[in-house]
Amino acid sequence: MDYRAVGTSGLLVSALGLGTLTWGRDTDEEEARGQLRAFLDAGGTLVDTSPAFGDGTAEALLGSLLSSFFGDAAARSQLTICTRVGFLDNPSGPTYSVSRAGIERSLEASLSRLGIETVDIAVAGGPDGVTPDEETALALAGLVTHGKARYIGVSGYEPWRVAAMHTLLHERHLPPLTVVEEEYSLVERSVEKSTLPMCEAMGIGLLATSALGRGVLTGKYRHSIPATSRAASDHLAAFIAPYLDERPRRIVEAVAKAADGLNWNPAEVALGWLLATPVSAALVGARTASQLTSLLGANLAGGEELPDLVIEALNDIS
């Protein structure tokens, strides 16, 4: 497994990160345990979660596994745990707020579920439509100042807003934004227009979510929708649907053709393309441990790079 710096910070993470979107709902404890073991065996270090995944069940399951895999904080330090903040569970139902109170309360609940005292990366999950960006930025920096997070970041903010928040913190000599989390894959390349250049200019690392196009770049949907897949589930079908039309299908076929020629699997080709860009890490998830093991194939895990000609061809078709 390759390791990369997150922006210009001193944080190093594995090039592939483990996503936990399905944990506690579609992925039970046994499969999650197998996933974490396979990820660690492949040299993975970055695990991404959120209180929004299964209404906190993903964090709780990860916390249970951390306790059983690692006896103490020193042993757990080999992992980089990233979670989002702002998601709150109130008596009236789930709410979202990136106010100072919302961020602090959300992270305290996440730390409790995870069974740890400090999260490595805390990411504001997006604007809430009410809170000024200045308040959100200062609240995030306060998490580092008070030892609740080591690094901070945002997701779902327009690039100019990220730049303004980062500059504000820099001018006040406060912990800066280190991470931006945004969707990026062969079927979703909009971050290349302004987000990626902004990150490079500001020294911020980009963590690419849905690195396999919400699963379609694995090729599993080429001919049908498997009954056990995300696209067949009630809660994730709408999430997958936008990537099942004609344009993504052409890209998936090109990925499959490249995979056949290289003797790789389609997921490795799609991830190989993404890792040839300036991302700090590509986040991948799976429903089962065997699916994840396939994603962590020998070619990528061994650090082999996708040939330039294949990258150019995939750039053209996507």
Side-chain angles (χ1 to χ4, degrees):
M1 181 80 72
D2 286 340
Y3 302 90
R4 301 182 175 194
V6 179
T8 55
S9 75
L11 177 62
L12 290 176
V13 297
S14 54
L16 294 179
L18 175 61
T20 60
L21 173 66
T22 62
W23 283 26
R25 188 161 50 183
D26 300 309
T27 300
D28 61 22
E29 181 174 357
E30 181 180 356
E31 291 290 353
R33 182 181 298 276
Q35 286 188 25
L36 185 57
R37 172 51 60 201
F39 184 65
L40 294 173
D41 289 347
T45 63
L46 174 62
V47 181
D48 180 71
T49 190
S50 170
F53 295 170
D55 295 326
T57 57
E59 284 186 332
L61 180 49
L62 176 58
S64 174
L65 294 179
L66 291 178
S67 178
S68 61
F69 271 65
F70 308 102
D72 52 35
R76 203 276 299 167
S77 65
Q78 67 179 282
L79 284 184
T80 298
I81 307 297
C82 175
T83 196
R84 292 163 186 77
V85 294
F87 297 92
L88 301 165
D89 186 16
N90 293 312
S92 58
T95 59
Y96 179 75
S97 170
V98 284
S99 66
R100 184 182 303 277
I103 285 174
E104 292 176 353
R105 285 176 52 207
S106 172
L107 186 58
E108 286 294 345
S110 290
L111 292 174
S112 177
R113 285 188 290 266
L114 291 165
I116 57 179
E117 296 182 354
T118 304
V119 72
D120 297 290
I121 308 172
V123 175
D128 61 16
V130 177
T131 305
D133 289 350
E134 178 178 355
E135 179 177 343
T136 299
L138 294 175
L140 288 170
L143 299 179
V144 180
T145 302
H146 294 99
K148 298 298 183 180
R150 295 185 174 90
Y151 297 92
I152 53 175
V154 295
S155 175
Y157 282 80
E158 294 172 287
W160 68 267
R161 296 175 70 175
V162 179
M165 294 166 77
H166 183 76
T167 301
L168 168 72
L169 296 176
H170 177 75
E171 290 176 344
R172 298 197 184 186
H173 305 287
L174 293 170
L177 298 180
T178 299
V179 168
V180 164
E181 275 197 348
E182 294 295 344
E183 185 170 352
Y184 187 20
S185 73
L186 274 166
V187 294
E188 175 48 73
R189 299 179 58 179
S190 59
V191 298
E192 294 176 351
K193 182 176 181 180
S194 52
T195 298
L196 196 54
M198 180 276 299
C199 286
E200 292 186 274
M202 294 284 175
I204 299 173
L206 179 68
L207 303 185
T209 64
S210 295
L212 288 169
R214 308 182 186 182
V216 302
L217 290 167
T218 64
K220 73 171 72 175
Y221 303 116
R222 288 176 70 191
H223 306 297
S224 63
I225 297 178
T228 58
S229 68
R230 296 179 187 181
S233 66
D234 292 337
H235 50 278
L236 289 175
F239 180 63
I240 310 297
Y243 293 162
L244 297 178
D245 61 19
E246 184 58 31
R247 176 182 172 272
R249 287 184 184 277
R250 291 198 304 270
I251 297 170
V252 170
E253 289 305 314
V255 168
K257 183 176 180 180
D260 288 341
L262 294 169
N263 198 27
W264 289 26
N265 65 51
E268 288 184 293
V269 171
L271 292 173
W273 175 87
L274 185 55
L275 293 178
T277 72
V279 299
S280 295
L283 302 178
V284 297
R287 186 177 57 83
T288 68
S290 62
Q291 289 173 348
L292 182 67
T293 301
S294 177
L295 298 181
L296 302 170
N299 298 299
L300 282 180
E304 190 170 343
E305 297 180 353
L306 205 61
D308 290 342
L309 285 175
V310 175
I311 292 174
E312 292 171 8
L314 293 175
N315 277 335
D316 288 343
I317 199 165
S318 62

